[in-house]
Amino acid sequence: MVSEWGSIMQTGFSVQLAKIIKELSLETIYLPENPEEILVVSVEVNRPGLQLAGYYEFFDSERVQVIGKSEDSYLNDLSPEKLHACLDKFFSKQPPMVIISRNLAVLDEMLAAAKKYGVPLLRTDDATSSFMSSIIAFLNVQLAPRITRHGVLVEVYGEGILILGESGVGKSETAIELVKRGHRLIADDAVELRRVSSRSLVGSSPENIRHFIELRGIGIINASRIFGVGAVKLTEKVDMVIKLEPWDSDKVYDRMGLENQSTSILDIKIPSLTIPVKPGRNLAVIIEVAAMNNRQKKLGYNAAHDLLKKLGMEDAIASSEEDETLSNDVYD
């Protein structure tokens, strides 16, 4: 069973150049204005070898441009007239920034063209390939499609657990109990979810409420101050969604775990469970077991299937797998 929750959105996110410079330790060669006012909006990064050779048919001026050893060698082989024309045309496209890798020397003609067209010019010590991997990974996180939802995100035995439920059902209290048992809090009340790849969701807390938890009857507490910095974490991949709901005696809850439920968030399917809440149930322990069981399933072991095999009920396993396939086909 798959429940839909937040389709992928094409919204115009951006990241400040100042943040990129700080994160990747870039050397500033030339900046036309305050780097906090210069925004990068594309996750794509380009090595402009073809463009420097004169081919601009599919050039995207919003991409970060990285000049490596090959491009630098090509430019150094050009005559002064061709070099000036080549760089003038390239910088006239006004990319958001040009980064020179391997700490290569900056050509005077390149600096002049950057100043003429107001293009930021920076430099890094890193090799071209490793630097491109770093900046692409950084931009993928910063510019990822995202949504913010009411819930709690905790890390339990290395599994990122997103706890959802109506207000007052006990999400924050459960998170506190989990933190006391040695697990870590990522976000309470508002969870910002980012689609960093076609298979991964990463959750974090808005910076202004990071590590704060609201407990009814007590008020606001700071988890990092009370439990220590080891009890909190900035970000975590979402491995499982657990929805808490008040116990309904008329509802039939899954007791075997044969049916693999999932929730679709930003077009990524995440395994999910619905856990009924009533007095006497230790939700923290239940979530711990759910996290460990989810890890076992990822490693290829399913306790419900194992039990049915030992009882000689393989047909029930085949039937559940067929139902799951049909359900996925309907939602896909």
Side-chain angles (χ1 to χ4, degrees):
M1 179 182 296
V2 182
S3 60
E4 296 291 337
W5 185 55
S7 295
I8 187 169
M9 302 177 298
Q10 300 296 331
T11 52
F13 296 111
S14 61
V15 57
Q16 296 175 340
L17 176 56
K19 194 170 184 178
I20 298 174
I21 293 174
K22 180 179 179 181
E23 178 70 20
L24 300 175
S25 302
L26 297 176
E27 176 191 355
T28 300
I29 305 298
Y30 167 71
L31 289 175
E33 57 182 306
N34 188 330
E36 294 185 354
E37 298 177 0
I38 301 173
L39 302 179
V40 174
V41 298
S42 174
V43 299
E44 303 292 341
V45 176
N46 181 54
R47 290 188 66 173
L50 283 173
Q51 286 72 46
L52 295 176
Y55 186 79
Y56 284 88
E57 184 68 24
F58 298 102
F59 181 70
D60 184 355
S61 61
E62 291 188 343
R63 294 185 180 185
V64 172
Q65 305 295 316
V66 179
I67 292 180
K69 194 172 183 178
S70 297
E71 292 81 7
D72 181 71
S73 177
Y74 173 78
L75 292 172
N76 278 289
D77 285 342
L78 296 177
S79 65
E81 295 79 11
K82 288 184 177 180
L83 176 62
H84 178 271
C86 171
L87 291 175
D88 189 81
K89 185 173 183 180
F90 174 64
F91 279 90
S92 70
K93 303 298 182 180
Q94 296 185 308
M97 73 179 86
V98 175
I99 303 170
I100 302 170
S101 66
R102 293 182 175 272
N103 204 26
L104 294 168
V106 180
L107 297 172
D108 292 338
E109 293 85 351
M110 185 178 295
L111 179 58
K115 290 181 177 180
K116 178 181 178 180
Y117 292 104
V119 177
L121 187 60
L122 306 121
R123 185 163 57 182
T124 177
D125 292 333
D126 295 344
T128 312
S129 296
S130 61
F131 174 74
M132 289 185 69
S133 296
S134 299
I135 192 171
I136 289 171
F138 177 72
L139 293 176
N140 272 333
V141 173
Q142 296 298 317
L143 302 177
R146 69 198 71 172
I147 54 174
T148 300
R149 286 293 182 267
H150 177 66
V152 173
L153 182 60
V154 288
E155 181 201 67
V156 181
Y157 296 129
E159 297 284 297
I161 307 296
L162 178 62
I163 305 174
L164 305 175
E166 296 179 0
S167 181
V169 77
K171 299 184 297 296
S172 297
E173 291 81 355
T174 302
I176 285 292
E177 180 63 25
L178 287 167
V179 169
K180 285 182 61 181
R181 296 172 67 89
H183 308 294
R184 293 193 283 184
L185 172 75
I186 293 89
D188 177 71
D189 190 50
V191 182
E192 188 175 80
L193 300 165
R194 303 186 186 208
R195 188 183 192 269
V196 299
S197 75
S198 60
R199 297 183 178 183
S200 298
L201 282 178
V202 170
S204 61
S205 172
E207 189 173 353
N208 56 351
I209 62 170
R210 183 172 295 155
H211 304 153
F212 288 97
I213 299 181
E214 177 191 354
L215 294 173
R216 285 174 173 77
I218 295 178
I220 304 296
I221 67 167
N222 188 318
S224 64
R225 293 296 184 92
I226 292 180
F227 300 105
V229 293
V232 296
K233 194 175 181 182
L234 293 179
T235 63
E236 180 60 42
K237 178 184 175 184
V238 179
D239 296 292
M240 180 177 234
V241 175
I242 292 181
K243 182 179 179 182
L244 303 181
E245 65 176 36
W247 187 288
D248 184 353
S249 58
D250 295 327
K251 185 175 180 179
V252 179
Y253 293 101
D254 187 7
R255 300 182 63 178
M256 288 291 293
L258 283 175
E259 183 181 358
N260 292 324
Q261 300 181 6
S262 62
T263 297
S264 182
I265 304 174
L266 294 175
D267 294 344
I268 296 178
K269 292 179 182 178
I270 307 295
S272 65
L273 293 174
T274 298
I275 297 179
V277 177
K278 73 175 182 178
R281 301 201 85 192
N282 191 326
L283 294 178
V285 172
I286 293 173
I287 289 176
E288 284 181 333
V289 173
M292 290 186 285
N293 190 51
N294 188 59
R295 175 176 288 183
Q296 283 191 330
K297 287 183 177 180
K298 288 194 293 186
L299 294 173
Y301 177 77
N302 187 309
H305 289 183
D306 191 16
L307 175 61
L308 290 177
K309 286 179 182 178
K310 291 181 178 180
L311 295 175
M313 300 173 64
E314 287 85 352
D315 291 344
I317 299 175
S319 177
S320 68
E321 291 176 345
E322 183 179 351
D323 290 343
E324 181 182 350
T325 301
L326 290 173
S327 178
N328 288 339
D329 289 341
V330 169
Y331 284 95
D332 289 344

